[in-house]
Amino acid sequence: MKTMLCALILLLGAVACQRQPIMTRQDFSAIEPGMSIKDIEKKYGKPYAIYSRDANSTIYEYIERISMGPETIMQWRYYLIVANERVVGKYSKYSTPPAFEQIYSDDPYPNY
């Protein structure tokens, strides 16, 4: 019984420590129009979000966050334009969080 409990705890710990694959800038640059979105999902997992673009296409969003300790210091958002289960275009956006002083504002809904 004790051995089985220890094995279960180890298994749960191993599963909890697994990380989802992350798309990086190098990975994003290797994606070309015509690639299957199923192959991309198999390699990088499900996207952060999927947006409807128009009647014929959707946009898949992946995010790469660069952290320093517990803080995110920069992030890349990768967008894949998909039509008929194939990538037809792509673009990315880069952002950094505001400076420490700027995150405190009288405005309850700061725009950054």
Side-chain angles (χ1 to χ4, degrees), residues 71-73 95-105 110-112:
E71 302 294 323
T72 298
I73 57 171
S95 63
T96 58
F100 183 76
E101 302 83 29
Q102 294 173 348
I103 63 173
Y104 297 102
S105 165
N111 184 17
Y112 45 79

Side-chain angles (χ1 to χ4, degrees), residues 79-99:
Y79 299 94
L80 304 173
I81 303 168
V82 178
N84 299 322
E85 300 295 314
R86 300 266 176 207
V87 175
V88 296
K90 64 181 188 173
Y91 62 97
S92 65
K93 291 182 181 178
Y94 167 79
S95 63
T96 58

Side-chain angles (χ1 to χ4, degrees), residues 40-103:
I40 293 169
E41 283 185 346
K42 188 183 297 181
K43 186 170 184 177
Y44 302 108
K46 296 287 183 189
Y48 173 76
I50 300 175
Y51 307 100
S52 178
R53 184 171 185 227
D54 54 35
N56 300 322
S57 63
T58 54
I59 297 176
Y60 285 58
E61 178 184 17
Y62 287 87
I63 299 176
E64 176 187 16
R65 290 185 175 97
I66 313 298
S67 300
M68 182 179 291
E71 302 294 323
T72 298
I73 57 171
M74 67 178 74
Q75 75 179 10
W76 285 91
R77 292 179 179 264
Y78 305 114
Y79 299 94
L80 304 173
I81 303 168
V82 178
N84 299 322
E85 300 295 314
R86 300 266 176 207
V87 175
V88 296
K90 64 181 188 173
Y91 62 97
S92 65
K93 291 182 181 178
Y94 167 79
S95 63
T96 58
F100 183 76
E101 302 83 29
Q102 294 173 348
I103 63 173

